[in-house]
Coordinates of all heavy atoms in Angstrom, one line a residue:
M1 N 33.2 -9.7 13.4 CA 32.0 -9.6 14.2 C 31.0 -10.6 13.7 O 30.6 -10.6 12.5 CB 31.4 -8.2 14.2 CG 30.1 -8.1 15.0 SD 29.4 -6.5 15.0 CE 30.0 -5.8 16.4
G2 N 30.6 -11.5 14.5 CA 29.6 -12.6 14.1 C 28.2 -12.1 14.3 O 27.9 -11.0 14.8
F3 N 27.2 -12.9 13.8 CA 25.8 -12.6 13.9 C 25.4 -12.4 15.4 O 24.7 -11.4 15.7 CB 25.0 -13.7 13.2 CG 23.5 -13.4 13.2 CD1 23.0 -12.4 12.4 CD2 22.7 -14.1 14.0 CE1 21.6 -12.2 12.4 CE2 21.3 -13.9 14.0 CZ 20.8 -12.9 13.2
T4 N 25.8 -13.3 16.2 CA 25.3 -13.2 17.6 C 26.0 -12.0 18.3 O 25.4 -11.4 19.2 CB 25.7 -14.5 18.4 OG1 27.0 -14.8 18.2 CG2 24.8 -15.7 17.9
D5 N 27.2 -11.7 17.9 CA 27.9 -10.5 18.5 C 27.1 -9.2 18.1 O 27.1 -8.3 18.9 CB 29.3 -10.4 17.9 CG 30.2 -11.5 18.4 OD1 29.9 -12.1 19.5 OD2 31.2 -11.9 17.8
F6 N 26.4 -9.2 17.0 CA 25.6 -8.1 16.6 C 24.3 -8.1 17.3 O 23.8 -7.0 17.8 CB 25.4 -8.0 15.1 CG 24.5 -7.0 14.6 CD1 24.9 -5.7 14.5 CD2 23.1 -7.3 14.3 CE1 24.0 -4.7 14.1 CE2 22.2 -6.3 13.9 CZ 22.7 -5.0 13.8
I7 N 23.6 -9.2 17.4 CA 22.3 -9.3 17.9 C 22.2 -9.0 19.4 O 21.4 -8.2 19.9 CB 21.7 -10.7 17.7 CG1 21.5 -11.0 16.2 CG2 20.4 -11.0 18.4 CD1 20.5 -10.1 15.6
K8 N 23.1 -9.6 20.2 CA 23.1 -9.5 21.7 C 23.0 -8.0 22.1 O 22.1 -7.6 22.9 CB 24.2 -10.2 22.3 CG 24.0 -11.7 22.3 CD 25.2 -12.4 23.0 CE 24.9 -13.9 23.0 NZ 26.0 -14.6 23.6
P9 N 23.9 -7.1 21.7 CA 23.9 -5.7 22.2 C 22.7 -4.9 21.6 O 22.4 -3.9 22.1 CB 25.2 -5.2 21.8 CG 25.7 -6.0 20.7 CD 25.1 -7.3 20.9
N10 N 22.1 -5.4 20.5 CA 21.1 -4.6 19.8 C 19.7 -5.2 19.9 O 18.8 -4.7 19.2 CB 21.5 -4.5 18.3 CG 22.7 -3.6 18.1 OD1 22.8 -2.5 18.6 ND2 23.7 -4.2 17.4
I11 N 19.5 -6.2 20.7 CA 18.2 -6.9 20.7 C 17.1 -6.0 21.1 O 16.0 -6.1 20.6 CB 18.3 -8.2 21.7 CG1 17.1 -9.0 21.5 CG2 18.4 -7.8 23.1 CD1 17.0 -9.8 20.2
K12 N 17.3 -5.1 22.0 CA 16.3 -4.1 22.5 C 15.9 -3.2 21.3 O 14.7 -3.0 21.1 CB 16.8 -3.3 23.7 CG 15.8 -2.5 24.3 CD 16.4 -1.8 25.6 CE 15.3 -1.1 26.4 NZ 15.9 -0.5 27.6
K13 N 16.8 -2.7 20.6 CA 16.5 -1.9 19.4 C 15.8 -2.6 18.3 O 14.9 -2.1 17.7 CB 17.8 -1.3 18.8 CG 18.5 -0.3 19.7 CD 19.8 0.1 19.1 CE 20.6 1.0 20.0 NZ 21.9 1.3 19.5
I14 N 16.1 -3.9 18.1 CA 15.5 -4.7 17.1 C 14.0 -5.0 17.5 O 13.1 -4.8 16.7 CB 16.2 -6.1 16.9 CG1 17.6 -5.8 16.3 CG2 15.4 -7.0 16.1 CD1 18.6 -7.0 16.3
I15 N 13.8 -5.3 18.8 CA 12.4 -5.5 19.2 C 11.6 -4.2 19.1 O 10.4 -4.3 18.7 CB 12.4 -6.1 20.7 CG1 13.0 -7.5 20.7 CG2 11.0 -6.1 21.3 CD1 13.2 -8.1 22.0
I16 N 12.2 -3.1 19.5 CA 11.4 -1.8 19.4 C 11.1 -1.5 17.9 O 10.0 -1.1 17.6 CB 12.2 -0.7 20.0 CG1 12.3 -0.9 21.5 CG2 11.7 0.7 19.7 CD1 13.3 0.1 22.3
F17 N 12.0 -1.8 17.0 CA 11.8 -1.6 15.6 C 10.6 -2.4 15.1 O 9.7 -2.0 14.4 CB 13.1 -1.8 14.8 CG 12.8 -1.7 13.3 CD1 12.7 -0.5 12.7 CD2 12.7 -2.9 12.6 CE1 12.5 -0.4 11.3 CE2 12.5 -2.8 11.2 CZ 12.4 -1.6 10.6
I18 N 10.6 -3.7 15.5 CA 9.6 -4.6 15.0 C 8.2 -4.2 15.6 O 7.2 -4.2 14.8 CB 9.9 -6.1 15.4 CG1 11.1 -6.6 14.6 CG2 8.7 -7.0 15.2 CD1 11.7 -7.9 15.1
V19 N 8.2 -3.8 16.8 CA 6.9 -3.3 17.4 C 6.4 -2.1 16.7 O 5.2 -1.9 16.4 CB 7.1 -3.1 18.9 CG1 5.9 -2.4 19.5 CG2 7.3 -4.4 19.6
C20 N 7.3 -1.2 16.4 CA 6.9 0.1 15.7 C 6.4 -0.2 14.3 O 5.4 0.4 13.9 CB 8.1 1.0 15.6 SG 8.6 1.8 17.1
V21 N 7.0 -1.2 13.6 CA 6.5 -1.6 12.2 C 5.1 -2.1 12.4 O 4.2 -1.8 11.6 CB 7.4 -2.5 11.6 CG1 6.8 -3.2 10.3 CG2 8.7 -1.8 11.2
I22 N 4.8 -3.0 13.4 CA 3.5 -3.6 13.5 C 2.5 -2.5 13.9 O 1.4 -2.5 13.3 CB 3.6 -4.7 14.6 CG1 4.4 -5.9 14.1 CG2 2.2 -5.1 15.1 CD1 4.7 -6.9 15.2
I23 N 2.8 -1.6 14.8 CA 1.9 -0.5 15.1 C 1.6 0.3 13.9 O 0.4 0.7 13.7 CB 2.5 0.3 16.3 CG1 2.5 -0.5 17.6 CG2 1.7 1.6 16.5 CD1 3.2 0.1 18.7
F24 N 2.6 0.7 13.1 CA 2.4 1.5 11.9 C 1.5 0.8 11.0 O 0.6 1.4 10.4 CB 3.8 1.8 11.3 CG 3.7 2.6 10.0 CD1 3.4 3.9 10.1 CD2 3.9 2.0 8.8 CE1 3.3 4.7 8.9 CE2 3.8 2.7 7.6 CZ 3.5 4.1 7.7
S25 N 1.7 -0.5 10.8 CA 0.9 -1.3 9.8 C -0.6 -1.3 10.3 O -1.5 -1.2 9.5 CB 1.4 -2.7 9.7 OG 2.7 -2.7 9.1
V26 N -0.8 -1.6 11.5 CA -2.2 -1.6 12.1 C -2.8 -0.3 12.0 O -4.0 -0.1 11.6 CB -2.2 -2.1 13.5 CG1 -3.5 -2.0 14.2 CG2 -1.7 -3.6 13.6
A27 N -2.1 0.8 12.3 CA -2.7 2.2 12.2 C -3.1 2.5 10.8 O -4.1 3.1 10.5 CB -1.6 3.2 12.7
L28 N -2.2 2.1 9.8 CA -2.6 2.4 8.4 C -3.8 1.6 8.0 O -4.7 2.2 7.3 CB -1.4 2.0 7.5 CG -0.4 3.1 7.2 CD1 0.7 2.5 6.3 CD2 -1.0 4.3 6.6
R29 N -3.9 0.4 8.4 CA -5.1 -0.4 8.0 C -6.3 0.2 8.7 O -7.4 0.2 8.0 CB -4.9 -1.9 8.5 CG -6.0 -2.7 8.1 CD -5.8 -4.2 8.3 NE -6.8 -5.0 7.8 CZ -7.0 -6.3 7.9 NH1 -6.0 -6.9 8.5 NH2 -8.0 -6.9 7.4
L30 N -6.3 0.6 9.9 CA -7.5 1.2 10.5 C -7.8 2.5 9.9 O -9.0 2.9 9.8 CB -7.2 1.3 12.0 CG -7.1 0.0 12.8 CD1 -6.7 0.3 14.3 CD2 -8.4 -0.8 12.8
T31 N -6.8 3.3 9.6 CA -7.1 4.6 9.0 C -7.6 4.6 7.6 O -8.6 5.3 7.3 CB -5.8 5.5 9.0 OG1 -5.3 5.5 10.4 CG2 -6.0 6.9 8.5
L32 N -7.0 3.7 6.8 CA -7.4 3.7 5.4 C -8.6 2.7 5.1 O -9.2 2.8 4.1 CB -6.2 3.3 4.5 CG -5.0 4.3 4.6 CD1 -3.9 3.8 3.8 CD2 -5.5 5.7 4.1
G33 N -8.8 1.8 6.0 CA -9.9 0.9 5.9 C -9.8 -0.2 4.9 O -10.8 -0.8 4.4
T34 N -8.6 -0.5 4.5 CA -8.4 -1.5 3.5 C -7.0 -2.2 3.7 O -6.2 -1.7 4.4 CB -8.4 -0.9 2.1 OG1 -8.3 -1.9 1.1 CG2 -7.3 0.1 1.9
Y35 N -6.9 -3.4 3.2 CA -5.6 -4.1 3.2 C -5.5 -4.9 1.9 O -6.4 -5.6 1.6 CB -5.6 -5.1 4.4 CG -4.3 -5.8 4.5 CD1 -3.2 -5.2 5.1 CD2 -4.1 -7.0 4.0 CE1 -2.0 -5.8 5.2 CE2 -2.9 -7.7 4.0 CZ -1.8 -7.1 4.7 OH -0.6 -7.7 4.7
P36 N -4.4 -4.9 1.2 CA -3.2 -4.1 1.5 C -3.5 -2.6 1.3 O -4.5 -2.2 0.6 CB -2.2 -4.6 0.5 CG -3.0 -5.1 -0.6 CD -4.3 -5.6 0.0
F37 N -2.8 -1.7 1.9 CA -3.1 -0.3 1.9 C -2.2 0.4 0.9 O -2.2 1.6 0.8 CB -3.0 0.3 3.2 CG -2.0 -0.3 4.2 CD1 -0.7 0.0 4.0 CD2 -2.4 -1.2 5.1 CE1 0.3 -0.5 4.9 CE2 -1.5 -1.8 6.0 CZ -0.1 -1.4 5.8
W38 N -1.3 -0.3 0.2 CA -0.6 0.3 -0.9 C -0.4 -0.7 -2.0 O -0.4 -1.9 -1.8 CB 0.8 0.9 -0.5 CG 1.8 -0.1 -0.1 CD1 2.5 -1.0 -0.9 CD2 2.3 -0.4 1.2 NE1 3.4 -1.7 -0.2 CE2 3.2 -1.4 1.1 CE3 2.0 0.1 2.5 CZ2 3.9 -1.9 2.2 CZ3 2.6 -0.4 3.6 CH2 3.6 -1.4 3.4
Y39 N -0.2 -0.2 -3.2 CA 0.1 -1.0 -4.4 C 1.2 -0.4 -5.2 O 1.5 0.8 -5.1 CB -1.2 -1.1 -5.3 CG -2.3 -1.9 -4.8 CD1 -3.3 -1.4 -4.0 CD2 -2.3 -3.3 -5.0 CE1 -4.3 -2.1 -3.5 CE2 -3.3 -4.1 -4.5 CZ -4.3 -3.5 -3.7 OH -5.3 -4.2 -3.2
N40 N 1.9 -1.3 -5.9 CA 3.0 -0.9 -6.8 C 2.4 -0.8 -8.2 O 1.8 -1.7 -8.7 CB 4.1 -1.9 -6.7 CG 5.3 -1.5 -7.5 OD1 5.4 -1.8 -8.7 ND2 6.2 -0.8 -6.9
V41 N 2.6 0.3 -8.9 CA 2.1 0.5 -10.3 C 3.0 -0.4 -11.2 O 4.2 -0.2 -11.2 CB 2.2 2.0 -10.7 CG1 1.7 2.1 -12.1 CG2 1.3 2.8 -9.7
A42 N 2.3 -1.3 -11.9 CA 3.1 -2.3 -12.7 C 3.4 -1.8 -14.2 O 4.2 -2.5 -14.8 CB 2.3 -3.6 -12.7
S43 N 2.7 -0.8 -14.7 CA 3.0 -0.4 -16.0 C 2.9 1.2 -16.1 O 2.6 1.8 -15.2 CB 1.9 -1.0 -17.0 OG 0.7 -0.4 -16.8
N44 N 3.1 1.7 -17.3 CA 3.0 3.1 -17.6 C 1.7 3.5 -18.1 O 1.6 4.6 -18.7 CB 4.2 3.6 -18.5 CG 5.5 3.7 -17.8 OD1 5.5 4.1 -16.6 ND2 6.6 3.3 -18.4
A45 N 0.7 2.7 -18.0 CA -0.7 3.0 -18.5 C -1.3 4.3 -17.9 O -2.1 4.9 -18.6 CB -1.6 1.8 -18.3
M46 N -0.9 4.7 -16.7 CA -1.5 5.9 -16.1 C -0.5 7.0 -16.2 O -0.7 8.0 -15.5 CB -1.8 5.6 -14.6 CG -2.9 4.6 -14.4 SD -4.5 5.3 -14.8 CE -4.7 6.6 -13.6
H47 N 0.5 6.9 -17.0 CA 1.5 8.0 -17.2 C 0.8 9.2 -17.7 O 0.0 9.1 -18.6 CB 2.6 7.5 -18.1 CG 3.8 8.5 -18.2 ND1 4.6 8.7 -17.1 CD2 4.2 9.3 -19.2 CE1 5.5 9.6 -17.5 NE2 5.3 10.0 -18.7
P48 N 1.0 10.5 -17.3 CA 2.1 10.9 -16.5 C 1.7 11.0 -15.0 O 2.5 11.4 -14.1 CB 2.4 12.3 -17.0 CG 1.0 12.8 -17.5 CD 0.3 11.6 -18.0
T49 N 0.4 10.6 -14.7 CA 0.0 10.7 -13.3 C 0.8 9.8 -12.4 O 1.3 10.1 -11.3 CB -1.5 10.4 -13.1 OG1 -2.2 11.3 -14.0 CG2 -2.0 10.6 -11.7
Y50 N 0.9 8.5 -12.8 CA 1.6 7.5 -12.1 C 2.6 6.8 -13.1 O 2.1 6.5 -14.3 CB 0.7 6.4 -11.5 CG -0.2 7.0 -10.5 CD1 -1.6 7.1 -10.8 CD2 0.2 7.5 -9.3 CE1 -2.5 7.7 -9.9 CE2 -0.7 8.1 -8.4 CZ -2.0 8.1 -8.7 OH -2.9 8.7 -7.8
S51 N 3.8 6.5 -12.7 CA 4.7 5.8 -13.6 C 5.0 4.4 -13.0 O 4.7 4.1 -11.8 CB 6.1 6.6 -13.6 OG 5.8 7.8 -14.2
R52 N 5.5 3.5 -13.9 CA 5.8 2.2 -13.4 C 6.8 2.2 -12.3 O 7.7 3.0 -12.2 CB 6.5 1.4 -14.6 CG 6.8 0.0 -14.3 CD 7.2 -0.7 -15.5 NE 7.3 -2.1 -15.2 CZ 8.3 -2.9 -15.5 NH1 9.4 -2.4 -16.1 NH2 8.3 -4.1 -15.2
G53 N 6.4 1.5 -11.2 CA 7.3 1.4 -10.0 C 6.8 2.3 -8.9 O 7.3 2.2 -7.8
D54 N 5.9 3.3 -9.2 CA 5.4 4.1 -8.1 C 4.5 3.3 -7.1 O 3.9 2.3 -7.5 CB 4.4 5.2 -8.7 CG 5.2 6.3 -9.5 OD1 6.4 6.3 -9.4 OD2 4.5 7.1 -10.1
F55 N 4.6 3.8 -5.9 CA 3.7 3.2 -4.9 C 2.5 4.1 -4.6 O 2.7 5.4 -4.5 CB 4.5 3.0 -3.5 CG 5.3 1.8 -3.5 CD1 6.7 1.9 -3.9 CD2 4.8 0.6 -3.2 CE1 7.5 0.8 -3.9 CE2 5.6 -0.6 -3.2 CZ 7.0 -0.4 -3.5
I56 N 1.3 3.6 -4.6 CA 0.2 4.4 -4.3 C -0.5 3.9 -3.1 O -0.6 2.6 -2.9 CB -0.8 4.5 -5.5 CG1 -1.2 3.1 -5.9 CG2 -0.2 5.3 -6.6 CD1 -2.3 3.2 -7.0
F57 N -1.0 4.8 -2.2 CA -1.8 4.4 -1.0 C -3.2 4.4 -1.4 O -3.7 5.3 -2.1 CB -1.5 5.3 0.1 CG -0.1 5.1 0.8 CD1 1.0 5.7 0.3 CD2 0.0 4.2 1.8 CE1 2.2 5.5 0.9 CE2 1.2 4.0 2.4 CZ 2.3 4.6 1.9
V58 N -4.0 3.5 -0.9 CA -5.4 3.4 -1.2 C -6.2 3.4 0.1 O -5.7 3.1 1.2 CB -5.7 2.1 -2.0 CG1 -5.0 2.0 -3.3 CG2 -5.3 0.8 -1.2
K59 N -7.5 3.8 -0.1 CA -8.4 3.7 1.1 C -9.7 3.2 0.5 O -10.1 3.5 -0.6 CB -8.5 5.1 1.8 CG -9.2 6.1 0.9 CD -9.4 7.4 1.7 CE -10.1 8.4 0.9 NZ -10.7 9.5 1.7
A60 N -10.5 2.6 1.4 CA -11.8 2.1 1.0 C -12.8 3.3 0.9 O -12.6 4.3 1.6 CB -12.3 1.1 2.1
T61 N -13.7 3.2 0.0 CA -14.7 4.2 -0.2 C -16.0 3.6 -0.8 O -16.0 2.5 -1.3 CB -14.2 5.3 -1.2 OG1 -15.0 6.4 -1.1 CG2 -14.0 4.8 -2.6
N62 N -17.0 4.4 -0.6 CA -18.3 3.9 -1.2 C -18.4 4.3 -2.6 O -17.9 5.4 -3.1 CB -19.5 4.6 -0.4 CG -19.5 4.1 1.0 OD1 -19.3 3.0 1.3 ND2 -19.8 5.0 2.0
F63 N -19.2 3.6 -3.4 CA -19.5 3.9 -4.8 C -20.0 5.4 -5.0 O -19.6 6.1 -5.9 CB -20.4 2.9 -5.4 CG -20.7 3.2 -6.9 CD1 -19.8 2.8 -7.8 CD2 -21.9 3.8 -7.3 CE1 -20.1 3.1 -9.2 CE2 -22.2 4.1 -8.6 CZ -21.2 3.7 -9.6
D64 N -20.8 5.8 -4.1 CA -21.4 7.1 -4.2 C -20.4 8.2 -4.0 O -20.6 9.4 -4.5 CB -22.5 7.3 -3.1 CG -23.7 6.4 -3.4 OD1 -23.9 6.0 -4.6 OD2 -24.4 6.1 -2.4
D65 N -19.3 7.9 -3.4 CA -18.2 8.9 -3.2 C -17.2 9.0 -4.3 O -16.3 9.9 -4.3 CB -17.5 8.7 -1.9 CG -18.4 8.8 -0.7 OD1 -19.3 9.6 -0.7 OD2 -18.1 8.1 0.3
I66 N -17.3 8.2 -5.3 CA -16.4 8.2 -6.5 C -16.9 9.1 -7.5 O -18.1 9.1 -7.8 CB -16.3 6.7 -7.0 CG1 -15.7 5.8 -6.0 CG2 -15.4 6.7 -8.3 CD1 -15.7 4.3 -6.4
S67 N -16.0 9.9 -8.1 CA -16.4 10.9 -9.1 C -15.6 10.6 -10.4 O -14.6 10.0 -10.4 CB -16.1 12.3 -8.6 OG -16.7 12.6 -7.4
V68 N -16.1 11.2 -11.5 CA -15.4 11.2 -12.7 C -14.0 11.8 -12.5 O -13.8 12.8 -11.8 CB -16.1 11.9 -13.8 CG1 -15.3 12.0 -15.1 CG2 -17.5 11.2 -14.1
N69 N -13.0 11.2 -13.1 CA -11.5 11.6 -13.0 C -10.8 11.1 -11.7 O -9.6 11.3 -11.6 CB -11.3 13.1 -13.1 CG -11.5 13.6 -14.5 OD1 -11.2 12.9 -15.5 ND2 -12.1 14.7 -14.7
D70 N -11.6 10.4 -10.8 CA -10.9 9.8 -9.7 C -10.1 8.6 -10.2 O -10.5 8.0 -11.2 CB -11.9 9.3 -8.7 CG -12.5 10.4 -7.8 OD1 -12.0 11.5 -7.9 OD2 -13.5 10.1 -7.1
V71 N -9.1 8.3 -9.5 CA -8.3 7.1 -9.8 C -8.7 6.0 -8.8 O -8.7 6.2 -7.6 CB -6.8 7.3 -9.7 CG1 -6.0 6.1 -9.9 CG2 -6.4 8.4 -10.7
I72 N -9.1 4.8 -9.3 CA -9.5 3.7 -8.4 C -8.7 2.5 -8.7 O -8.1 2.4 -9.7 CB -11.0 3.5 -8.7 CG1 -11.3 3.0 -10.1 CG2 -11.9 4.7 -8.3 CD1 -12.7 2.5 -10.3
I73 N -8.8 1.6 -7.8 CA -8.2 0.2 -7.9 C -9.4 -0.7 -7.9 O -10.2 -0.7 -7.0 CB -7.2 -0.1 -6.8 CG1 -6.0 0.8 -6.9 CG2 -6.8 -1.5 -6.9 CD1 -4.9 0.6 -5.9
H74 N -9.4 -1.5 -8.9 CA -10.6 -2.4 -9.2 C -10.1 -3.8 -9.4 O -9.3 -4.0 -10.3 CB -11.4 -1.8 -10.3 CG -12.6 -2.6 -10.7 ND1 -13.7 -2.8 -9.8 CD2 -12.9 -3.3 -11.8 CE1 -14.6 -3.5 -10.4 NE2 -14.2 -3.8 -11.6
G75 N -10.7 -4.8 -8.7 CA -10.4 -6.2 -9.0 C -11.2 -6.7 -10.1 O -12.4 -6.3 -10.3
V76 N -10.7 -7.5 -11.0 CA -11.4 -8.0 -12.1 C -11.3 -9.5 -12.1 O -10.2 -10.1 -11.8 CB -10.7 -7.5 -13.5 CG1 -11.4 -8.2 -14.7 CG2 -10.8 -6.0 -13.6
Q77 N -12.4 -10.2 -12.3 CA -12.4 -11.7 -12.2 C -11.5 -12.3 -13.2 O -11.5 -11.9 -14.4 CB -13.8 -12.2 -12.4 CG -14.0 -13.7 -12.2 CD -15.4 -14.1 -12.2 OE1 -16.3 -13.3 -12.5 NE2 -15.7 -15.4 -12.0
G78 N -10.6 -13.2 -12.8 CA -9.7 -13.8 -13.7 C -8.3 -13.1 -13.8 O -7.4 -13.6 -14.4
V79 N -8.2 -11.9 -13.2 CA -7.0 -11.2 -13.2 C -6.4 -11.3 -11.9 O -7.0 -11.0 -10.9 CB -7.2 -9.7 -13.7 CG1 -5.9 -8.9 -13.6 CG2 -7.8 -9.7 -15.0
K80 N -5.1 -11.6 -11.8 CA -4.5 -11.9 -10.5 C -4.3 -10.6 -9.7 O -4.5 -10.6 -8.5 CB -3.1 -12.5 -10.7 CG -2.4 -13.1 -9.5 CD -1.2 -13.8 -9.8 CE -0.6 -14.5 -8.6 NZ 0.6 -15.3 -8.9
T81 N -3.9 -9.5 -10.3 CA -3.7 -8.3 -9.6 C -4.7 -7.3 -9.9 O -5.2 -7.2 -11.0 CB -2.3 -7.7 -9.9 OG1 -2.2 -7.5 -11.3 CG2 -1.2 -8.6 -9.4
P82 N -5.1 -6.4 -9.0 CA -6.1 -5.4 -9.3 C -5.6 -4.4 -10.3 O -4.4 -4.2 -10.5 CB -6.4 -4.7 -7.9 CG -5.5 -5.4 -6.9 CD -4.7 -6.4 -7.6
L83 N -6.5 -3.7 -11.0 CA -6.2 -2.8 -12.0 C -6.4 -1.4 -11.5 O -7.3 -1.1 -10.8 CB -7.1 -3.0 -13.2 CG -7.0 -4.3 -13.9 CD1 -8.1 -4.4 -15.0 CD2 -5.7 -4.6 -14.5
I84 N -5.4 -0.5 -11.8 CA -5.5 0.9 -11.5 C -6.1 1.6 -12.7 O -5.5 1.5 -13.8 CB -4.1 1.5 -11.1 CG1 -3.5 0.7 -9.9 CG2 -4.2 3.0 -10.8 CD1 -2.1 1.0 -9.7
M85 N -7.2 2.4 -12.5 CA -7.8 3.0 -13.6 C -8.4 4.3 -13.2 O -8.7 4.6 -12.0 CB -8.8 2.1 -14.3 CG -9.9 1.6 -13.4 SD -11.0 0.4 -14.1 CE -9.9 -1.1 -14.1
R86 N -8.6 5.2 -14.2 CA -9.3 6.5 -14.0 C -10.8 6.4 -14.4 O -11.1 5.8 -15.4 CB -8.6 7.6 -14.8 CG -9.2 9.0 -14.5 CD -8.4 10.1 -15.3 NE -7.0 10.1 -15.0 CZ -6.4 10.6 -13.9 NH1 -7.2 11.1 -12.9 NH2 -5.1 10.6 -13.7
V87 N -11.6 6.9 -13.5 CA -13.1 6.9 -13.8 C -13.4 7.9 -14.9 O -13.1 9.1 -14.8 CB -13.9 7.2 -12.6 CG1 -15.4 7.2 -12.9 CG2 -13.6 6.2 -11.5
I88 N -13.9 7.4 -16.0 CA -14.3 8.3 -17.2 C -15.8 8.6 -17.2 O -16.2 9.6 -17.8 CB -13.7 7.8 -18.5 CG1 -14.3 6.4 -18.8 CG2 -12.2 7.8 -18.5 CD1 -14.0 5.9 -20.2
S89 N -16.6 7.7 -16.7 CA -18.0 8.0 -16.6 C -18.6 7.1 -15.4 O -18.0 6.2 -15.0 CB -18.7 7.6 -17.9 OG -18.7 6.3 -18.1
K90 N -19.7 7.5 -15.0 CA -20.4 6.8 -13.9 C -21.8 6.6 -14.2 O -22.5 7.6 -14.5 CB -20.2 7.6 -12.6 CG -20.6 6.9 -11.3 CD -20.2 7.7 -10.1 CE -20.8 7.1 -8.9 NZ -20.5 7.9 -7.7
A91 N -22.3 5.4 -14.2 CA -23.7 5.1 -14.5 C -24.5 5.0 -13.2 O -24.1 4.8 -12.2 CB -23.8 3.8 -15.2

């Protein structure tokens, strides 16, 4: 069975799948208010809460809504990827 033999009878299913993925992505972005809406944990620094390789979903929030012990993702100047950290105090 060649590639075209597979595509022709399944083209409708493939298009429906692609449309569903796009709708799901847009819905997540609108619901969570941020993009990207998930990150991959790169180290075990947050163990045992999060382990290396875990996926975490994020949402945008205001500074006033953040509390001590919340886990946040924070961009740092000069660092390529955002850092995942736990809030230990709030000034």
Side-chain angles (χ1 to χ4, degrees):
M1 177 183 266
F3 181 72
T4 54
D5 294 334
F6 173 77
I7 294 295
K8 284 181 181 179
N10 293 308
I11 192 71
K12 191 174 187 179
K13 293 177 187 175
I14 293 168
I15 291 171
I16 291 171
F17 175 77
I18 291 170
V19 169
C20 288
V21 168
I22 291 169
I23 290 170
F24 178 75
S25 297
V26 170
L28 271 179
R29 184 171 185 185
L30 293 173
T31 302
L32 299 175
T34 184
Y35 182 83
F37 33 79
W38 69 73
Y39 287 92
N40 183 271
V41 178
S43 73
N44 282 321
M46 292 291 295
H47 187 71
T49 305
Y50 301 108
S51 298
R52 184 173 189 228
D54 286 351
F55 281 95
I56 57 173
F57 285 87
V58 297
K59 67 176 184 163
T61 190
N62 295 321
F63 179 78
D64 295 335
D65 296 331
I66 297 173
S67 303
V68 173
N69 287 324
D70 284 350
V71 175
I72 63 170
I73 293 183
H74 179 64
V76 177
Q77 189 173 1
V79 177
K80 191 175 186 177
T81 57
L83 301 174
I84 301 169
M85 55 187 77
R86 185 175 302 280
V87 177
I88 56 170
S89 68
K90 189 174 171 184

